[in-house]
Amino acid sequence: MEYLQTAPVASFIFAFTILTSVWAFYSDNIYAQLILHPFSIYRGQRVYTVVSSGFIHADIMHLLFNMLSFSFFAFGLEPVLGHWQFGVLYFVSLILSDLPTVYKHKNDEWYHSLGASGAVSAVIFSYILYSPVSPLGLMLIPGFQMPAVVFGVLYLIYCNYAAKRAADNINHDAHMFGALSGLLITIALHPHVVNGFINQITEKVQSWMH
């Protein structure tokens, strides 16, 4: 109930994504209707899937990973960013994160993509702007942490490398462009965040030097 009051938009997105994903797990028709298909979008068909594909997932582990990542950051970010601002951040980043994929695979009739990873990346990077020196770690490596800004830089480097290598079935382009969208949208909504970002890093570096 506390989250419904402090982060109503994030709460709605969280619940709606879980419900829609579970619904799609049990309905091949819903799954097929909502999944991103760049070949169709580039030809003016099923354009809505740039949004709807962000609310379905490949399997329960994919859903669990994205929603855990979302919950770690979104419920704390929304009160700081603002309610309608958080909605803009999430949905605009969801769309922008898919556009490079649509262009890249516009002639690949076989290609499909799904999941909230692009928008979740935007949420994480918006959080990093507000808390660049807070500790962040990896769920797969318990106890290992680093400053959030370092995590962000390494994340972008990895996404760029993995996208070019294309050795797995993960849409790394969506991750990377979602993260970049999160940075740009947050700065556009709250330009003062840049000064706070720089001041926090400067103070942290100075504390390391003394």
Side-chain angles (χ1 to χ4, degrees):
M1 290 302 295
E2 179 184 350
Y3 287 145
L4 286 175
Q5 294 177 344
T6 61
V9 179
S11 298
F12 171 79
I13 292 171
F14 182 78
F16 187 75
T17 302
I18 292 174
L19 290 173
T20 307
S21 294
V22 172
W23 185 24
F25 291 157
Y26 294 97
S27 173
D28 291 340
N29 182 54
I30 294 299
Y31 189 88
Q33 290 297 317
L34 299 185
I35 196 168
L36 183 79
H37 189 220
F39 183 88
S40 296
I41 293 171
Y42 197 75
R43 288 155 181 79
Q45 303 168 1
R46 298 176 59 199
V47 177
Y48 66 89
T49 60
V50 295
V51 174
S52 65
S53 60
F55 293 96
I56 59 173
H57 290 78
D59 52 42
I60 192 65
M61 289 305 298
H62 186 205
L63 173 64
L64 181 63
F65 184 83
N66 271 343
M67 290 301 95
L68 278 175
S69 300
F70 178 84
S71 63
F72 288 155
F73 301 97
F75 295 119
L77 176 65
E78 184 178 335
V80 176
L81 189 63
H83 303 308
W84 69 264
Q85 292 92 337
F86 183 87
V88 169
L89 171 75
Y90 194 87
F91 286 99
V92 174
S93 294
L94 184 61
I95 295 169
L96 292 179
S97 68
D98 278 338
L99 294 184
T101 298
V102 170
Y103 183 76
K104 183 176 182 179
H105 294 283
K106 63 183 183 294
N107 294 318
D108 299 328
E109 191 170 2
W110 54 269
Y111 185 87
H112 296 79
S113 183
L114 75 172
S117 299
V120 172
S121 294
V123 170
I124 294 173
F125 273 69
S126 180
Y127 171 88
I128 290 174
L129 274 177
Y130 283 99
S131 303
V133 297
S134 62
L136 281 188
L138 300 173
M139 283 188 281
L140 299 177
I141 311 177
F144 178 75
Q145 294 184 324
M146 67 188 79
V149 66
V150 175
F151 173 89
V153 171
L154 294 177
Y155 182 86
L156 289 176
I157 292 173
Y158 169 73
C159 287
N160 183 56
Y161 167 77
K164 291 180 178 178
R165 191 162 178 260
D168 53 32
N169 292 320
I170 298 173
N171 188 353
H172 295 285
D173 286 319
H175 293 189
M176 181 171 64
F177 285 100
L180 294 174
S181 296
L183 293 176
L184 293 175
I185 293 169
T186 301
I187 293 171
L189 292 171
H190 293 301
H192 67 273
V193 73
V194 176
N195 287 334
F197 176 84
I198 295 172
N199 289 338
Q200 288 185 61
I201 293 178
T202 301
E203 290 173 4
K204 190 65 174 180
V205 170
Q206 289 175 345
S207 69
W208 287 340
M209 296 175 64
H210 290 87

